[in-house]
Amino acid sequence: MAFWDNLWRGGNAAQFDSGSSASNSIELTKRHATVSLSKQGAATGNMRVNLSWRMRTSDIEGRSKQSGRLLRHPFKLFQPEVVQAHTQGVVNVDLDLGCMYELTDGTKGVVQPLGGLFGDLNGPPFVKLSGDDRFGAPSGETVFVNLDHRESIKRLLFFVYIYDQTPAFDRTHAKVTLYPSNGPRVEIELDERAPQARSCAVFALENVKGELVVRREMKFVYGFQADLDRLYGWGLQWGRGYKSKT
């Protein structure tokens, strides 16, 4: 089971307008790891942060690679197919999106599905989780950040973790997308392989002398949120948390 901060107790999930998404996008990579929302003119309004994923299977990928090999080597079509054991079939993974926050007044906490810590959009921490997707639906999971209160936000750390399942980050195609109220969307692919990891710090949003800067992190840990906390020096008190069964 994962861990959660018991200082905050949020209410029920709500739905919000998502903000407009531009036709163009910025992809954060190892070489190009930062972008300034302020310089993009995107540091106001409600920013939508979306986690989406789909499962990959060894069967599907195997067939795809096999088709590519046959196109390059057509005579292999007449060779008998090697049958592999189905030791890695479809894995049902529940990825969750969370956000640790630190406000300029020193308040710290976390927004995440565990413990019903859904946050608040119009009051501190100005971060709100819209719901919990347990099935990898196309809509994924979404967190909203009220950037009209950017002067109250010191730093945010968005992370993804696997809830109550076998570690399987390497079995998913996952992506986190930021949709500011203005300007291009920002995309971060979880494309690094860490088969045994349970959590991943995806990106940080920091207020640097009034400028909002997004920085790609992509740091996998083999533990839970408390391990991410120690890695980034948040200093929260963590305890066991569970999801509602409804």
Side-chain angles (χ1 to χ4, degrees):
M1 295 296 174
F3 296 87
W4 56 287
D5 175 30
N6 55 18
L7 298 178
W8 273 89
R9 298 185 182 277
N12 293 328
Q15 298 296 324
F16 302 93
D17 293 334
S18 61
S20 60
S21 60
S23 57
N24 57 331
S25 64
I26 298 172
E27 182 179 0
L28 296 187
T29 64
K30 285 183 177 180
R31 293 187 62 185
H32 304 283
T34 63
V35 63
S36 169
L37 295 182
S38 300
K39 291 180 180 179
Q40 295 286 335
T44 60
N46 291 338
M47 181 178 70
R48 178 164 58 104
V49 180
N50 178 256
L51 164 68
S52 60
W53 77 92
R54 60 185 175 87
M55 298 308 302
R56 71 170 107 207
T57 68
S58 56
D59 290 340
I60 294 175
E61 293 192 342
R63 292 193 192 102
S64 176
K65 293 177 182 178
Q66 177 77 0
S67 299
R69 286 194 296 267
L70 289 177
L71 289 176
R72 294 189 301 270
H73 307 286
F75 288 106
K76 290 185 178 293
L77 179 65
F78 301 100
Q79 295 181 358
E81 182 179 0
V82 177
V83 179
Q84 297 183 354
H86 295 270
T87 56
Q88 297 186 13
V90 177
V91 178
N92 183 24
V93 176
D94 181 9
L95 297 184
D96 282 339
L97 177 66
C99 175
M100 293 185 203
Y101 59 84
E102 181 178 1
L103 305 183
T104 53
D105 65 1
T107 302
K108 297 180 182 180
V110 64
V111 172
Q112 64 178 22
L114 285 178
L117 304 175
F118 290 101
D120 193 330
L121 191 65
N122 297 310
F126 309 107
V127 179
K128 178 76 174 181
L129 176 67
S130 68
D132 176 21
D133 169 35
R134 305 187 185 186
F135 305 102
S139 59
E141 292 193 1
T142 299
V143 171
F144 290 88
V145 181
N146 189 343
L147 297 182
D148 288 337
H149 292 271
R150 58 193 177 278
E151 72 281 352
S152 298
I153 298 173
K154 180 178 180 180
R155 59 173 179 160
L156 305 176
L157 179 67
F158 280 83
F159 58 91
V160 174
Y161 61 96
I162 296 176
Y163 174 76
D164 199 26
Q165 291 289 347
T166 301
F169 270 115
D170 62 329
R171 305 300 308 284
T172 64
H173 291 286
K175 178 171 67 175
V176 172
T177 307
L178 289 68
Y179 296 90
S181 61
N182 184 48
R185 65 184 182 270
V186 179
E187 299 179 342
I188 305 171
E189 298 274 356
L190 277 71
D191 53 1
E192 298 180 18
R193 300 275 68 86
Q196 299 303 315
R198 299 301 298 262
S199 308
C200 176
V202 181
F203 76 92
L205 173 64
E206 294 184 331
N207 190 333
V208 183
K209 297 181 180 180
E211 180 182 0
L212 291 184
V213 178
V214 174
R215 183 180 68 251
R216 178 186 184 270
E217 295 292 331
M218 286 306 298
K219 293 181 180 178
F220 288 91
V221 299
Y222 297 93
F224 299 99
Q225 291 90 315
D227 297 278
L228 289 174
D229 182 314
R230 286 190 289 272
L231 183 62
Y232 286 90
W234 230 267
L236 299 179
Q237 297 295 320
W238 298 85
R240 286 192 179 276
Y242 304 90
K243 290 186 180 183
S244 169
K245 295 185 180 299
T246 59

